[in-house]
Coordinates of all heavy atoms in Angstrom, one line a residue:
R1 N -34.6 15.9 -33.0 CA -33.2 16.5 -33.0 C -32.3 15.6 -33.8 O -32.5 14.4 -34.0 CB -32.7 16.6 -31.5 CG -32.3 15.3 -30.9 CD -31.9 15.5 -29.4 NE -31.2 14.4 -28.9 CZ -30.9 14.3 -27.6 NH1 -31.2 15.3 -26.7 NH2 -30.3 13.2 -27.1
D2 N -31.2 16.1 -34.2 CA -30.1 15.4 -34.8 C -28.9 15.7 -33.9 O -28.3 16.8 -34.0 CB -29.9 15.9 -36.2 CG -28.8 15.1 -37.0 OD1 -27.9 14.5 -36.3 OD2 -28.8 15.1 -38.2
S3 N -28.5 14.7 -33.1 CA -27.4 14.9 -32.2 C -26.1 15.1 -32.9 O -25.2 15.8 -32.4 CB -27.3 13.7 -31.2 OG -28.5 13.6 -30.4
S4 N -25.9 14.5 -34.1 CA -24.7 14.7 -34.8 C -24.5 16.1 -35.3 O -23.3 16.6 -35.5 CB -24.6 13.8 -36.0 OG -25.6 14.1 -37.0
K5 N -25.6 16.9 -35.4 CA -25.5 18.3 -35.8 C -25.8 19.2 -34.7 O -25.8 20.4 -34.8 CB -26.5 18.5 -36.9 CG -26.3 17.7 -38.2 CD -27.3 18.1 -39.3 CE -27.0 17.3 -40.6 NZ -28.0 17.6 -41.6
N6 N -26.1 18.6 -33.5 CA -26.4 19.4 -32.3 C -27.5 20.4 -32.6 O -27.5 21.6 -32.2 CB -25.2 20.2 -31.8 CG -25.0 20.0 -30.3 OD1 -25.3 19.0 -29.7 ND2 -24.5 21.1 -29.6
T7 N -28.5 19.9 -33.3 CA -29.6 20.8 -33.8 C -31.0 20.1 -33.4 O -31.1 18.9 -33.5 CB -29.5 21.0 -35.3 OG1 -28.3 21.6 -35.6 CG2 -30.7 21.8 -35.8
V8 N -31.9 21.0 -33.0 CA -33.2 20.6 -32.7 C -34.2 21.2 -33.7 O -34.0 22.4 -34.1 CB -33.7 21.0 -31.3 CG1 -35.1 20.7 -31.0 CG2 -32.8 20.4 -30.2
Y9 N -35.1 20.4 -34.2 CA -36.0 20.9 -35.2 C -37.5 21.0 -34.7 O -37.9 20.3 -33.8 CB -36.0 19.9 -36.4 CG -34.6 19.7 -37.0 CD1 -33.9 18.6 -36.7 CD2 -34.1 20.6 -37.9 CE1 -32.6 18.4 -37.2 CE2 -32.8 20.4 -38.4 CZ -32.1 19.3 -38.0 OH -30.8 19.2 -38.6
L10 N -38.2 21.8 -35.4 CA -39.7 21.9 -35.2 C -40.3 21.8 -36.5 O -40.3 22.8 -37.3 CB -40.1 23.1 -34.4 CG -41.6 23.2 -34.0 CD1 -41.8 22.2 -32.9 CD2 -42.0 24.6 -33.5
E11 N -40.9 20.6 -36.8 CA -41.6 20.4 -38.1 C -43.0 20.9 -37.9 O -43.7 20.3 -37.1 CB -41.5 19.0 -38.5 CG -42.0 18.7 -39.9 CD -40.9 18.9 -40.9 OE1 -39.7 18.6 -40.6 OE2 -41.2 19.3 -42.0
M12 N -43.4 21.8 -38.7 CA -44.8 22.4 -38.6 C -45.6 22.1 -39.8 O -45.2 22.5 -40.9 CB -44.7 23.9 -38.3 CG -43.8 24.3 -37.2 SD -43.8 26.0 -36.8 CE -43.1 26.7 -38.3
T13 N -46.7 21.5 -39.7 CA -47.6 21.1 -40.8 C -49.0 21.7 -40.5 O -49.3 22.1 -39.4 CB -47.6 19.6 -41.0 OG1 -48.2 19.0 -39.8 CG2 -46.3 19.0 -41.2
S14 N -49.8 21.7 -41.6 CA -51.2 22.2 -41.5 C -51.2 23.6 -40.8 O -52.0 23.8 -39.9 CB -52.1 21.2 -40.7 OG -52.1 19.9 -41.4
L15 N -50.3 24.4 -41.2 CA -50.2 25.7 -40.5 C -51.4 26.6 -40.7 O -52.1 26.5 -41.7 CB -49.0 26.5 -41.0 CG -47.6 25.9 -40.5 CD1 -46.5 26.4 -41.4 CD2 -47.4 26.4 -39.1
K16 N -51.7 27.3 -39.6 CA -52.9 28.2 -39.5 C -52.4 29.6 -39.3 O -51.3 29.9 -38.8 CB -53.8 27.8 -38.4 CG -54.2 26.3 -38.4 CD -54.9 26.0 -37.1 CE -55.4 24.5 -37.1 NZ -56.1 24.2 -35.8
P17 N -53.2 30.6 -39.7 CA -52.8 32.0 -39.5 C -52.5 32.3 -38.0 O -51.6 33.1 -37.7 CB -54.1 32.8 -39.9 CG -54.7 31.9 -41.0 CD -54.5 30.5 -40.5
E18 N -53.1 31.6 -37.1 CA -52.8 31.8 -35.7 C -51.5 31.3 -35.2 O -51.1 31.5 -34.1 CB -54.0 31.3 -34.8 CG -54.3 29.8 -35.1 CD -55.5 29.7 -36.0 OE1 -55.6 30.5 -37.0 OE2 -56.4 28.9 -35.7
D19 N -50.8 30.6 -36.1 CA -49.5 30.1 -35.8 C -48.4 31.2 -36.1 O -47.2 31.0 -35.8 CB -49.1 28.9 -36.7 CG -50.0 27.6 -36.3 OD1 -50.2 27.4 -35.1 OD2 -50.4 26.9 -37.2
T20 N -48.9 32.3 -36.7 CA -48.0 33.4 -37.0 C -47.3 33.9 -35.7 O -48.0 34.1 -34.7 CB -48.7 34.5 -37.7 OG1 -49.1 34.0 -39.0 CG2 -47.9 35.7 -37.9
G21 N -46.0 34.2 -35.8 CA -45.3 34.8 -34.7 C -43.8 34.6 -34.9 O -43.3 34.0 -35.9
V22 N -43.1 35.1 -33.9 CA -41.6 34.9 -33.9 C -41.4 33.6 -33.0 O -41.9 33.5 -31.9 CB -40.9 36.1 -33.3 CG1 -39.4 35.8 -33.3 CG2 -41.1 37.3 -34.1
Y23 N -40.7 32.7 -33.6 CA -40.4 31.4 -32.9 C -39.0 31.4 -32.3 O -38.0 31.8 -33.0 CB -40.6 30.2 -33.9 CG -42.1 29.9 -34.1 CD1 -42.9 30.8 -34.8 CD2 -42.6 28.7 -33.6 CE1 -44.2 30.5 -35.0 CE2 -44.0 28.4 -33.8 CZ -44.7 29.3 -34.5 OH -46.1 29.0 -34.7
F24 N -38.9 31.0 -31.1 CA -37.7 31.0 -30.3 C -37.4 29.6 -29.8 O -38.3 28.8 -29.5 CB -37.7 31.9 -29.1 CG -38.0 33.3 -29.4 CD1 -39.3 33.8 -29.5 CD2 -37.0 34.2 -29.6 CE1 -39.6 35.1 -29.7 CE2 -37.2 35.6 -29.8 CZ -38.6 36.0 -29.9
C25 N -36.1 29.2 -29.7 CA -35.8 28.0 -28.9 C -35.0 28.5 -27.7 O -34.4 29.6 -27.6 CB -35.0 27.0 -29.7 SG -33.5 27.6 -30.4
A26 N -35.0 27.6 -26.7 CA -34.4 27.9 -25.4 C -33.9 26.6 -24.7 O -34.5 25.6 -25.1 CB -35.3 28.7 -24.5
A27 N -33.0 26.7 -23.8 CA -32.4 25.5 -23.2 C -32.6 25.6 -21.7 O -32.5 26.6 -21.1 CB -30.9 25.4 -23.5

């Protein structure tokens, strides 16, 4: 996260076809 931007990140590497989908964040 970057608190100064009030933003959370998800860095995804070595992606696979099974990672396909709609990604959501929640609190």
